[in-house]
């Protein structure tokens, strides 16, 4: 195993003290201590989650680091199974103040600068490299992310490429699932006057909640108690989402503006999205066959700004999280990932069966 990564390493990973996960059977968690919170909500930590392998489990193709979105955390076991069966160790990161890392004194999912997440992303990558690199060799890590995570991770990789190239060298690909590349809604919401108002309020009162009614349609469509197929903790992922603050939204808008100027993630990228958006606050059948959270046209428009070697694939009838879609759509999403890995990353995937992975949790 590799013991160090030179100057690119921050303080090295913590001693690996993996503990059983209280939320998922056969999963383990590692608490990542973080430095002082620039937003004044100390103490803060992040949580790395891994699917525990058997003693004879082999991961010849490397590892996956998965990052969730806003009002989200890792709970989607079939996604981990998909990669495990294809020779990848699977890790997921619950960011500071999110999911398993959320504490009573925190404002859920709150940050005033997306760059703050670089700390836990770097620490998580170091742990994964230490655990999965072959003797004296180099780890191959696919970074996968959903929604807000799909904005955070490309910006991180763009910085990593120039600021810590040794770390970046361990990343082999980027898989984005419905990334939040622009602000949905009326064009006036993306205008300069509105942006200036957002920045002004964020500077003075960053934790002030934006006055908007949040729909619970998407949450109800996926949770098992309201007709969906998936089990998740509603205290960590409420049906209608956590309140959106001016400080957080301003951080997102700054990140989106940086993306719109063009970045270079430095690795092959696959962007999966639905083939359509439906903004409907109701609970009609259409909520099951479209992205009801973000505008897929923005994903199509801005994906090319990630750098070279970007593939964009719309998945018919997919939900906002394509891997939580109805069976046909999520099966297609998994097949697209498999094709991309085989063609772009030169990963042999023969023998693994996507049919076993489209069932609910």
């Amino acid at each position: 195993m590799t013991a160090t990564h030179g100057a690119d390493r921050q303080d090295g990973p913590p001693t690996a003290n993996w503990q059983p996960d209280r939320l998922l059977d056969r999963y383990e968690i590692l608490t990542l201590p973080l430095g002082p919170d620039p937003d004044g909500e100390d103490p803060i930590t992040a949580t790395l989650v891994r699917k525990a392998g058997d003693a004879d489990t082999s991961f010849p193709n490397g590892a996956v680091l998965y990052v969730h979105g806003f009002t989200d955390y890792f709970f989607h076991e079939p996604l981990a199974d998909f990669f495990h069966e294809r020779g990848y160790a699977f890790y997921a990161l619950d960011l500071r103040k999110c999911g398993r890392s959320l504490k009573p004194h925190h404002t859920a999912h709150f940050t005033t600068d997306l760059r703050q997440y670089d700390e836990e992303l770097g620490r998580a990558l170091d742990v994964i490299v230490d655990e999965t690199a072959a003797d004296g060799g180099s780890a191959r890590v696919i970074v996968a992310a959903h929604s807000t995570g799909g904005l955070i991770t490309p910006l991180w990789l763009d910085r990593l490429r120039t600021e810590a190239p040794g770390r970046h060298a361990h990343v082999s690909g980027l898989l984005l699932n419905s990334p939040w590349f622009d602000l949905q809604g009326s064009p006036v919401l993306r205008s300069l006057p509105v942006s200036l108002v957002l920045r002004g309020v964020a500077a003075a009162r960053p934790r002030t909640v934006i006055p908007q009614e949040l729909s619970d349609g998407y949450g109800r469509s996926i949770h098992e108690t309201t007709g969906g197929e998936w089990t998740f903790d509603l205290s960590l992922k409420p049906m209608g989402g956590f309140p959106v603050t001016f400080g957080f939204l301003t951080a997102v808008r700054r990140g989106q503006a940086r993306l719109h100027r063009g970045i270079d993630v430095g690795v092959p990228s696959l962007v999966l999205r639905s083939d359509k958006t439906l903004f409907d606050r109701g609970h009609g059948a259409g909520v099951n066959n479209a992205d009801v959270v973000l505008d897929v046209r923005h994903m199509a428009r801005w994906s090319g700004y990630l750098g070279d070697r970007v593939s964009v694939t719309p998945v018919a009838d997919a939900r906002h999280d394509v891997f939580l879609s109805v069976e046909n759509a999520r099966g297609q999403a998994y097949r697209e990932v498999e094709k991309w890995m085989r063609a772009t990353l030169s990963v042999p995937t023969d023998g693994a069966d996507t049919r076993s992975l489209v069932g609910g949790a």
Side-chain angles (χ1 to χ4, degrees), residues 68-83:
H68 58 82
F70 181 74
T71 301
D72 205 0
Y73 72 100
F74 175 70
F75 63 88
H76 188 26
E77 297 178 71
L79 185 64
D81 294 338
F82 172 86
F83 285 107

Side-chain angles (χ1 to χ4, degrees), residues 7-39:
D8 293 324
R9 201 71 168 250
Q10 288 177 338
D11 297 314
T15 301
N17 184 22
W18 292 94
Q19 300 293 325
D21 182 23
R22 66 179 177 84
L23 298 177
L24 298 174
D25 292 336
R26 302 180 305 280
Y27 283 78
E28 299 170 326
I29 61 170
L30 179 65
T31 299
L32 304 177
L34 302 177
D37 180 16
D39 295 318

Side-chain angles (χ1 to χ4, degrees), residues 153-212:
T153 53
L155 296 172
W156 168 58
L157 287 178
D158 179 57
R159 291 188 290 270
L160 203 67
R161 179 180 52 82
T162 57
E163 297 172 5
R167 258 186 178 155
H168 187 277
H170 294 297
V171 180
S172 61
L174 176 65
L175 169 61
L176 300 182
N177 165 11
S178 302
W180 193 9
F181 283 167
D182 210 345
L183 187 62
Q184 64 275 25
S186 170
V188 71
L189 297 176
R190 297 182 291 279
S191 67
L192 179 59
V194 172
S195 295
L196 292 175
V197 170
L198 285 175
R199 293 175 198 167
V201 178
R205 300 187 303 278
R207 289 177 181 78
T208 298
V209 173
I210 294 176
Q212 64 174 11

Side-chain angles (χ1 to χ4, degrees), residues 146-147 177-180 184 218 272-280 286-297 299 315 317-322 325:
H146 171 56
S147 198
N177 165 11
S178 302
W180 193 9
Q184 64 275 25
Y218 175 63
L272 295 178
R273 61 174 178 84
S274 180
D275 62 333
K276 54 187 170 294
T277 287
L278 174 66
F279 290 139
D280 182 357
V287 74
N288 291 315
N289 304 110
D291 192 324
V292 297
V293 179
L294 298 181
D295 194 327
V296 299
R297 295 171 299 178
M299 303 171 204
V315 178
D317 295 333
R319 289 186 174 117
H320 176 52
D321 188 328
V322 299
S325 299

Side-chain angles (χ1 to χ4, degrees), residues 96-177:
R96 64 186 67 194
K97 308 178 193 177
C98 305
R100 297 163 179 83
S101 309
L102 180 64
K103 299 298 185 289
H105 64 280
H106 292 155
T107 304
H109 292 253
F110 179 72
T111 184
T112 55
D113 189 342
L114 300 185
R115 295 175 68 104
Q116 292 176 15
Y117 296 126
D118 288 11
E119 182 180 3
E120 53 256 57
L121 288 165
R123 289 181 179 274
L125 182 60
D126 288 344
V127 171
I128 294 168
V129 167
D130 276 3
E131 292 196 346
T132 63
D135 292 340
S138 176
R140 292 166 49 90
V141 181
I142 296 175
V143 174
H146 171 56
S147 198
T148 310
L151 175 65
I152 293 167
T153 53
L155 296 172
W156 168 58
L157 287 178
D158 179 57
R159 291 188 290 270
L160 203 67
R161 179 180 52 82
T162 57
E163 297 172 5
R167 258 186 178 155
H168 187 277
H170 294 297
V171 180
S172 61
L174 176 65
L175 169 61
L176 300 182
N177 165 11

